[in-house]
Amino acid sequence: MHDMKERLSQLWLFALLNYLYADVLALFDIVGSQDPAPHLPQWALLGSAVLMEIPIAMILASRLLPFGANRLANIIAGAIETLAVISMQFVYPLASGAWHEHMFASYIFFGTIETVCTSVIVWQAWTWSGVEAAVRPERTVRQPEAGITSS
């Protein structure tokens, strides 16, 4: 995988699948507990939707945007997602004492993977050079002197 656009897109897909599965496990925990299900205010649901839409959109944006916009979008989106995971899964529970003891291991597990993944996205985008972006892999190989053509 030499194309940075493809690499970033695949990293966003990996991050998204981790976000989704962590949420599925949390829902199973809520449904299986004796506690009443939490009711989130509309602003919290909207915030969650925005945070989920970022990696969904970045899967396509990483492949479609030109170099400059692509690099900037990946750095900003990766930083937002990294900070969101760190604050919601590590900082807020420590500050408020709201650790869910029965979900602690899975939250730490998924939060660590998500943080590493989005940090890698930021690093890859940050170190992505314009020279690398200008050199595109050829999709059509032509060697007319050898009589070989393929697409």
Side-chain angles (χ1 to χ4, degrees):
M1 177 173 44
H2 299 290
D3 184 24
M4 183 60 76
K5 288 183 172 190
E6 180 182 344
R7 180 180 306 154
L8 290 169
S9 180
Q10 289 178 347
L11 285 167
W12 279 112
L13 182 59
F14 178 77
L16 176 64
L17 290 172
N18 275 278
Y19 294 140
L20 292 174
Y21 197 69
D23 289 348
V24 166
L25 285 181
L27 287 173
F28 279 136
D29 183 60
I30 290 169
V31 169
S33 77
Q34 300 300 324
D35 298 332
H39 296 283
L40 298 174
Q42 289 299 310
W43 63 265
L45 293 173
L46 177 61
S48 296
V50 169
L51 284 175
M52 237 359 158
E53 187 59 36
I54 291 171
I56 292 169
M58 288 307 298
I59 293 168
L60 286 177
S62 295
R63 290 183 180 260
L64 301 177
L65 290 175
F67 168 71
N70 201 333
R71 184 172 181 257
L72 185 61
N74 274 283
I75 291 169
I76 292 171
I80 289 169
E81 292 293 313
T82 302
L83 292 174
V85 170
I86 289 172
S87 64
M88 288 186 298
Q89 293 189 353
F90 299 110
V91 175
Y92 174 74
L94 280 174
S96 67
W99 284 107
H100 302 282
E101 292 81 18
H102 51 286
M103 290 296 292
F104 178 75
S106 64
Y107 279 157
I108 294 297
F109 177 74
F110 281 113
T112 302
I113 289 172
E114 294 159 2
T115 301
V116 169
C117 183
T118 53
S119 297
V120 168
I121 289 169
V122 170
W123 179 253
Q124 291 283 309
W126 186 271
T127 60
W128 186 12
S129 73
V131 174
E132 181 184 342
V135 179
R136 294 187 172 203
E138 287 295 321
R139 303 227 185 253
T140 304
V141 177
R142 295 182 183 262
Q143 296 176 340
E145 63 278 351
I148 302 170
T149 60
S150 67
S151 353

